[in-house]
Amino acid sequence: MWKVGEIAERAGLTVRALHHWDRIGLVRPSARTGSGHRLYGDADVRRLYEVVALRDLGLSLDAIADVLGSREQDPGKQDPGKQGSTEQGSTEPAAAHGNRMLAGVLSRHLAHVDAQIAAQRRLRDRLAALLGGLRTAAPLPSDLLELVEEVTRMNEKINAYYTAEQLATLQTRRERLGEEAIAAVEAEWPQLIAQVQAEMDAGTDPTEPRVRALAARWMELLEQFDGGDPEIREANRRIVVDNPAEVQQQGGPPEKMIEYITRAAQGS
């Protein structure tokens, strides 16, 4: 059995998040000490993984509760990420059912991570191959065309949201800031997103001072990107709303987080 602090440290979560998940019935410890401290067993750890994995797939805590709750009420229901169907009213042993449920989440999580890796590697591999080939010979036209195709596909998506004038403004800001400052901002975003996610997981009200401080920093980083231009900021928001899976694959925030941080910034 693990105490709540031990589970939080091992899982990279906060104690507040685990307390909140217990209160809403998402991950409830199976035992408590004589003094009332939470104790987590093997089944609780499995449940914790399922919650974290489904959250990584972009589901809200409410949606995760619905998914896990419906499967427990109807053991014959199809697992996430598993094809085919199972006859209703299955009488399979609880342990086998639990393993099947976990296998469904593991499969879906693996597919999500594979998609992330593939998206990151595709362009990198082409660039690395072309750069390495320059040491011995010029790249083939077909190689360059493939690279152009990849870049064009990315640019087409960008052009669907930003006007030429907005792109020129963003380029000017990039040149003014310099690559070193941009790299520092890009490195800070994942840390800030993780901090906000921890507060959301803990059920912290967005008007709490610590969340408003995170929101203030969020807005400062946005300001460095868009210069406070409301139309560029709206274009950023539409990208997140229209492409949630891709945005999260690239480490960006989900729409729910943007709504949360906006409420914090507005103090409401």
Side-chain angles (χ1 to χ4, degrees):
M1 303 290 282
W2 292 271
K3 295 181 179 178
V4 64
E6 295 170 336
I7 283 287
E9 183 177 359
R10 290 286 300 274
L13 299 167
T14 65
V15 171
R16 281 190 299 109
L18 290 173
H19 285 179
H20 178 62
W21 291 0
D22 180 12
R23 284 195 299 272
I24 65 177
L26 204 55
V27 182
R28 284 182 171 154
S30 55
R32 289 182 181 260
T33 65
S35 55
H37 294 296
R38 296 168 174 84
L39 292 174
Y40 293 81
D42 293 350
D44 305 322
V45 172
R46 175 179 294 206
R47 172 79 170 202
L48 178 62
Y49 164 72
E50 291 184 330
V51 169
V52 171
L54 291 172
R55 186 188 67 177
D56 192 45
L57 293 171
L59 274 67
S60 67
L61 295 183
D62 288 342
I64 293 170
D66 288 342
V67 169
L68 298 182
S70 64
R71 291 191 315 178
E72 288 166 354
Q73 293 169 12
D74 184 1
K77 191 166 185 175
Q78 183 176 321
D79 294 333
K82 186 172 182 179
Q83 299 298 320
S85 60
T86 304
E87 185 179 350
Q88 298 295 316
S90 170
T91 58
E92 67 179 326
H97 171 59
N99 287 339
R100 185 165 55 80
M101 290 172 62
L102 179 61
V105 176
L106 283 166
S107 176
R108 190 171 172 185
H109 197 190
L110 178 61
H112 176 67
V113 171
D114 284 343
Q116 287 181 308
I117 293 172
Q120 294 290 334
R121 282 181 174 170
R122 221 169 15 243
L123 186 55
R124 184 197 179 282
D125 287 349
R126 288 181 179 175
L127 291 170
L130 291 177
L131 182 60
L134 283 176
R135 298 180 185 133
T136 56
L140 295 172
S142 58
D143 292 330
L144 291 176
L145 285 174
E146 287 181 0
L147 184 58
V148 169
E149 181 186 7
E150 183 75 23
V151 174
T152 300
R153 188 161 50 244
M154 295 171 64
N155 286 340
E156 284 176 350
K157 178 155 286 189
I158 291 173
N159 291 334
Y161 292 94
Y162 299 102
T163 66
E165 183 179 357
Q166 289 171 338
L167 290 173
T169 298
L170 292 172
Q171 180 60 31
T172 300
R173 287 195 59 76
R174 186 179 188 92
E175 292 170 355
R176 187 180 303 149
L177 287 170
E179 294 303 320
E180 185 174 341
I182 291 170
V185 170
E186 290 176 346
E188 187 176 348
W189 269 118
Q191 302 170 24
L192 184 58
I193 288 172
Q195 289 176 299
V196 175
Q197 184 66 63
E199 297 295 348
M200 292 175 66
D201 291 344
T204 308
D205 191 288
T207 59
E208 286 287 325
R210 62 177 175 273
V211 181
R212 297 196 65 186
L214 292 174
R217 183 55 184 159
W218 187 291
M219 296 305 167
E220 288 173 0
L221 293 185
L222 281 182
E223 179 87 16
Q224 293 191 51
F225 173 76
D226 59 28
D229 186 312
E231 293 183 354
I232 293 178
R233 190 159 296 184
E234 173 59 19
N236 295 340
R237 188 195 67 80
R238 290 203 315 273
I239 288 177
V240 174
V241 172
D242 295 348
N243 308 275
E246 287 186 45
V247 168
Q248 289 189 256
Q249 284 177 5
Q250 300 300 323
E255 185 181 2
K256 288 275 188 185
M257 183 177 292
I258 293 180
E259 293 173 358
Y260 179 80
I261 212 70
T262 299
R263 288 177 57 199
Q266 295 172 345
S268 61

